[in-house]
Amino acid sequence: MRLLMPYTGIVKGVLGMVARHELSARQRKPHIRQLVYVALPCALLLALANYLQSGYPLPGMIVAVTAVLLLGAAFFMSGHEKLLSMAESLLLLFALLASVALGLLGGIAGSGILWIYAFPFLALWLKGQRQGAQWSLIWLLAMAFSMLAGSSIFPFAYAYDEKFVLQASAALLFYSAIALAYNFSRSQLEEKLYVSEQGMQAKTRDYVSRLELAAYQDGVTGLPNRLRLLDILGREIANAQERGHTLLVAHIRLKKMFETANLIGPDASDKLIRNIAATMTATVGSRGIFARVRRDEFVCIYRKHTEDINASEIIRDVLAFRLEYKINDYAVHIDHTIGVASFPSHAGDAETLLRKAAQAMLQAQFANQGLAFYDERIELQFNRQQLLFVQLHETLHKGGLSLHYQGLIDLQTGAVIGAEALARWIDPVSGPVTPAEFIPIAEKSGLIKAFTLWTMREAFGQLARWRAEGLDLFVSINLSSRCILDHQLIDDVRGLLKEYNIPAEAIVLELSEASFADTPETALQNMLSLHKLGFRLSIDDFGTAHTSLSSLKDLKIDELKIDQSFMRSMASDVGSRAIVLSTIQLAHNLNLRVVAEGVESARAEQQLKDMGCDIAQGYHYCKPMPADVFSQWARSWQINRRAVLSA
Ligand code: C2E
Ligand code: CA
Ligand code: CA
């Protein structure tokens, strides 16, 4: 089987099955060797046949000698790349010489007739169309010469019969033409196959490179994407580490891109993003490398040569970003928020550094600033808020919250007339969480509506029970500013009033003064509806947001709660006392009841009494306490008060 191996290649080659346009040196060497394997035994057999045939011993000997010499040399030369062409020519030279020898010595009319006609095929196969045709032409001329003129020049030459010369010449021409035509069509086929293969390869290469681009590049701006950024940053960190440099990573978020894209359409928004990317890259120049990591987020890596994280350079760059862009004749204003983290101060690897820059961006966004540097404490706070959000969600549904009540004292009579409901949360994992911490979380996460409904249900229920027990009190409930914007609030509240069968007049709804800063229509409508239902409305923390009393005239307010900070400063500060006094007087002029909260001493109580304040609340009377403790306290307070009064 192994012996036959060289021959399979020959068969395929002759049949045109090996479609190769240009043979490489590596392919030509076995070609030559295969030919030697075929030609040498054939030539020796032919030589032997000639030798044994009476009258032809000389051609036999010549063929044998030239075969061994020339084919041997060709075999040897095929081992050297530079000599390949010469080796091929030697093969052809052997075939040419053997043909001429046979022609001159009459072999062509004998056994040589079988082999002579193979020459054009061999020449074309080895040398290709052009050189093969040239060799074939030489061969034709040589053969014609040896048959026609040989005998008149060389005395030993064979004299051919005219008829034979005619037939043999026709056969020589015929086989040459066949060989040329065959080789031509074969090379055409090879050419076609080669072209289509090349085309396919080019297409595949193009496709693969486009896939690679898509995997590593942002399609709109052509900037590296997040995946590629990780690579780049990894390399930059390694470089910085080696040279002792600092890296700053800025995470840039474009504000309101979604709304803008919605307004100007997807094509224009792509154009806008491209403009913004171009501005940013041009502003930063070679000092930074940009990537687009999300639809409206970019990252810039700045290299710095000193250890100190001097932000001034970045701030200068950032402030230099143009914010006004012209898209299809629209002037579009795009603001941005930037967070910065640095290597090595904040992180030692690309992934963490990017995360911290993004975190810093959130911190800036949260604080309503244009730029923030990463701060670990703030991240911890963020994480706690995240955790609390999840826990609050669970607690709210599992009933882990409770309401405490703090008494409201009528300053004229000294009687307990109401209670403020204050939410309490003791988390099994995080421990007690103050309302100051969890209410903003509820507000931001959308849990506030469910939370407020729970508070109302709880407080309405408690009020109904106290009333049934003969405890005549009103209950104050804190309403978040978000709730007053809720379209469904009125329906919900109306439903609860019916369910617990309590008069709305026994409920005070406290709204912090800050929520009046910018009162939208829904809030005004809701307040009006609440007032119509009979609820009393109170402004909590009054004095902290500097609202003028006269501007509150139309809001159907019943009560003002002076912020506890005034109680604290009143003891020492004459100015605070003056503010409290004028607030009380002004409120009374507007028919509003005044509550002072944070009353911690008898002295403060006396001062408030002197100023004509209506109601007081504070640690001086009681701390917020669970409902059952509160009702006991309220009863004993009333008994004690009566005892004091009657004494
Ligand atoms: P706020 O409405 O101004 O409630 C009064 C806060 O002052 C309460 O704090 C109360 O415990 C505290 N306080 C009362 N008397 C004194 C005193 O004499 N001295 C001092 N230093 N503090 C006193 P708390 O319970 O921690 O609530 C804080 C804030 O959280 C509340 O301020 C209110 O804005 C909000 N909040 C509490 N519960 C709820 C609720 O159920 N819903 C809503 N929306 N907010 C609530
Ligand atoms: Ca309150
Ligand atoms: Ca308050």
Side-chain angles (χ1 to χ4, degrees):
M1 197 60 206
R2 249 206 206 151
L3 263 173
L4 289 177
M5 285 281 275
Y7 300 93
T8 56
I10 297 165
V11 174
K12 281 186 187 169
V14 172
L15 293 175
M17 285 163 68
V18 187
R20 273 169 293 190
H21 181 67
E22 274 180 350
L23 298 179
S24 67
R26 227 158 40 93
Q27 291 164 319
R28 280 161 73 193
K29 178 182 166 182
H31 250 201
I32 295 167
R33 298 223 158 154
Q34 284 164 3
L35 270 177
V36 173
Y37 293 144
V38 175
L40 193 61
C42 286
L44 290 177
L45 267 175
L46 170 71
L48 188 65
N50 280 328
Y51 189 76
L52 295 177
Q53 208 174 333
S54 65
Y56 295 108
L58 193 58
M61 269 153 48
I62 292 173
V63 167
V65 172
T66 47
V68 171
L69 286 179
L70 294 176
L71 294 180
F75 190 87
F76 168 74
M77 285 177 172
S78 69
H80 303 272
E81 209 171 291
K82 279 187 190 149
L83 301 177
L84 278 176
S85 179
M86 212 184 273
E88 287 164 352
S89 299
L90 273 184
L91 278 171
L92 287 177
L93 192 65
F94 158 70
L96 188 73
L97 285 179
S99 305
V100 172
L102 287 168
L104 282 176
L105 299 172
I108 194 169
S111 56
I113 202 151
L114 292 171
W115 313 105
I116 296 280
Y117 304 110
F119 186 87
F121 292 96
L122 186 68
L124 288 160
W125 192 46
L126 270 180
K127 290 288 191 185
Q129 191 75 6
R130 197 167 56 83
Q131 280 190 40
Q134 286 166 0
W135 273 93
S136 299
L137 187 67
I138 295 170
W139 169 78
L140 264 175
L141 293 174
M143 290 314 293
F145 169 78
S146 62
M147 284 188 295
L148 293 174
S151 56
S152 57
I153 296 172
F154 303 109
F156 58 86
Y158 184 81
Y160 289 94
D161 178 40
E162 244 175 60
K163 243 197 212 155
F164 178 83
V165 173
L166 214 65
Q167 279 177 3
S169 303
L172 289 174
L173 272 173
F174 175 73
Y175 285 115
S176 301
I178 295 252
L180 275 168
Y182 168 73
N183 197 62
F184 183 67
S185 61
R186 198 191 82 156
S187 65
Q188 268 190 330
L189 175 72
E190 284 182 3
E191 175 75 16
K192 264 190 207 154
L193 282 172
Y194 177 78
V195 167
S196 80
E197 188 192 317
Q198 287 294 307
M200 255 163 48
Q201 274 180 5
K203 262 191 206 157
T204 316
R205 267 198 305 272
D206 183 49
Y207 188 63
V208 169
S209 65
R210 267 191 292 147
L211 272 182
E212 269 174 8
L213 269 187
Y216 289 109
Q217 198 182 55
D218 168 51
V220 177
T221 58
L223 290 175
N225 64 9
R226 202 190 129 77
L227 210 63
R228 178 110 179 74
L229 174 69
L230 274 171
D231 247 29
I232 297 172
L233 186 55
R235 251 179 285 135
E236 287 291 324
I237 286 177
N239 277 345
Q241 212 153 23
E242 222 166 77
R243 291 174 200 165
H245 287 183
T246 301
L247 288 179
L248 294 182
V249 172
H251 191 112
I252 304 154
R253 171 145 202 251
L254 307 175
K255 284 190 188 168
K256 303 223 160 110
M257 260 320 282
F258 186 75
E259 289 90 329
T260 310
N262 203 21
L263 193 75
I264 63 178
D267 289 342
S269 106
D270 279 358
K271 205 163 137 193
L272 176 63
I273 287 282
R274 271 194 292 274
N275 275 358
I276 294 172
T279 311
M280 290 196 300
T281 39
T283 313
V284 174
S286 61
R287 279 168 300 153
I289 306 164
F290 270 92
R292 187 181 180 208
V293 289
R294 270 195 219 164
R295 191 172 49 91
D296 51 358
E297 288 174 27
F298 292 84
V299 165
C300 179
I301 307 170
Y302 287 80
R303 290 186 207 98
K304 283 192 56 77
H305 301 278
T306 50
E307 259 302 328
D308 80 305
I309 310 161
N310 178 4
S312 62
E313 199 178 308
I314 286 199
I315 292 171
R316 210 180 48 227
D317 283 348
V318 166
L319 292 181
F321 289 168
R322 197 161 45 110
L323 298 174
E324 291 290 345
Y325 299 88
K326 261 229 148 105
I327 296 294
N328 302 345
D329 292 336
Y330 277 112
V332 186
H333 181 98
I334 297 291
D335 222 340
H336 48 251
T337 312
I338 303 186
V340 182
S342 81
F343 166 85
S345 312
H346 295 139
D349 65 287
E351 190 90 50
T352 319
L353 198 54
L354 284 177
R355 187 183 63 69
K356 292 197 167 173
Q359 169 68 32
M361 190 276 295
L362 286 178
Q363 292 173 6
Q365 203 167 288
F366 193 73
N368 244 333
Q369 290 168 343
L371 177 103
F373 278 78
Y374 172 77
D375 185 334
E376 193 174 359
R377 280 167 318 171
I378 299 182
E379 189 184 9
L380 290 176
Q381 242 175 53
F382 259 68
N383 292 347
R384 177 168 160 86
Q385 282 182 1
Q386 210 61 38
L387 181 76
L388 286 181
F389 163 66
V390 177
Q391 288 168 343
L392 181 61
H393 194 268
E394 227 179 80
T395 307
L396 202 55
H397 289 93
K398 282 194 190 151
L401 293 173
S402 65
L403 280 186
H404 278 200
Y405 295 87
Q406 189 178 24
L408 291 152
I409 312 294
D410 183 333
L411 280 175
Q412 298 297 312
T413 62
V416 192
I417 53 169
E420 179 176 4
L422 294 159
R424 292 291 176 263
W425 175 23
I426 300 174
D427 187 81
V429 182
S430 310
V433 189
T434 65
E437 193 173 8
F438 72 78
I439 283 168
I441 294 172
E443 281 179 338
K444 260 184 257 148
S445 60
L447 283 174
I448 193 71
K449 191 177 166 183
F451 169 74
T452 307
L453 272 179
W454 168 83
T455 320
M456 289 194 170
R457 200 169 265 288
E458 199 66 18
F460 282 25
Q462 191 55 55
L463 182 66
R465 280 193 292 280
W466 279 335
R467 285 170 66 86
E469 290 166 16
L471 206 56
D472 185 22
L473 297 169
F474 67 84
V475 169
S476 291
I477 299 170
N478 292 286
L479 258 196
S480 145
S481 54
R482 287 278 167 105
C483 294
I484 200 73
L485 296 172
D486 184 4
H487 291 277
Q488 236 205 305
L489 175 75
I490 304 302
D491 286 344
D492 289 345
V493 172
R494 208 183 272 129
L496 286 175
L497 277 183
K498 241 191 220 155
E499 187 181 335
Y500 291 97
N501 192 27
I502 44 165
E505 288 74 17
I507 302 282
V508 176
L509 296 174
E510 295 187 7
L511 280 155
S512 100
E513 189 192 3
S515 45
F516 295 98
D518 174 26
T519 326
E521 193 53 34
T522 330
L524 290 176
Q525 286 304 323
N526 274 350
M527 287 172 73
L528 210 65
S529 306
L530 289 171
H531 172 78
K532 276 190 191 151
L533 280 172
F535 288 102
R536 290 177 199 286
L537 299 178
S538 172
I539 300 187
D540 204 354
D541 308 330
F542 190 80
T544 50
H546 315 291
T547 320
S548 75
L549 270 178
S550 51
S551 69
L552 300 174
K553 226 171 41 211
D554 304 328
L555 296 177
K556 307 289 179 198
I557 300 294
D558 300 280
E559 180 188 281
L560 274 192
K561 283 186 93 166
I562 299 173
D563 190 65
Q564 24 181 303
S565 57
F566 290 98
M567 297 306 118
R568 256 168 254 137
S569 51
M570 219 170 57
S572 54
D573 180 21
V574 190
S576 291
R577 269 204 302 278
I579 293 173
V580 173
L581 178 62
S582 60
T583 306
I584 294 171
Q585 287 170 346
L586 228 104
H588 283 164
N589 287 343
L590 291 165
N591 266 335
L592 301 177
R593 178 167 85 168
V594 183
V595 182
E597 61 176 1
V599 180
E600 291 185 351
S601 64
R603 184 161 173 246
E605 179 186 48
Q606 193 52 52
Q607 284 175 327
L608 290 163
K609 264 188 193 167
D610 296 344
M611 288 190 244
C613 184
D614 306 295
I615 298 168
Q617 172 188 2
Y619 294 170
H620 176 57
Y621 312 101
C622 66
K623 288 200 167 179
M625 49 201 143
D628 48 343
V629 182
F630 177 84
S631 42
Q632 277 173 24
W633 171 83
R635 278 180 227 283
S636 59
W637 178 273
Q638 305 293 48
I639 294 165
N640 288 346
R641 186 184 63 94
R642 270 185 225 116
V644 172
L645 281 179
S646 59

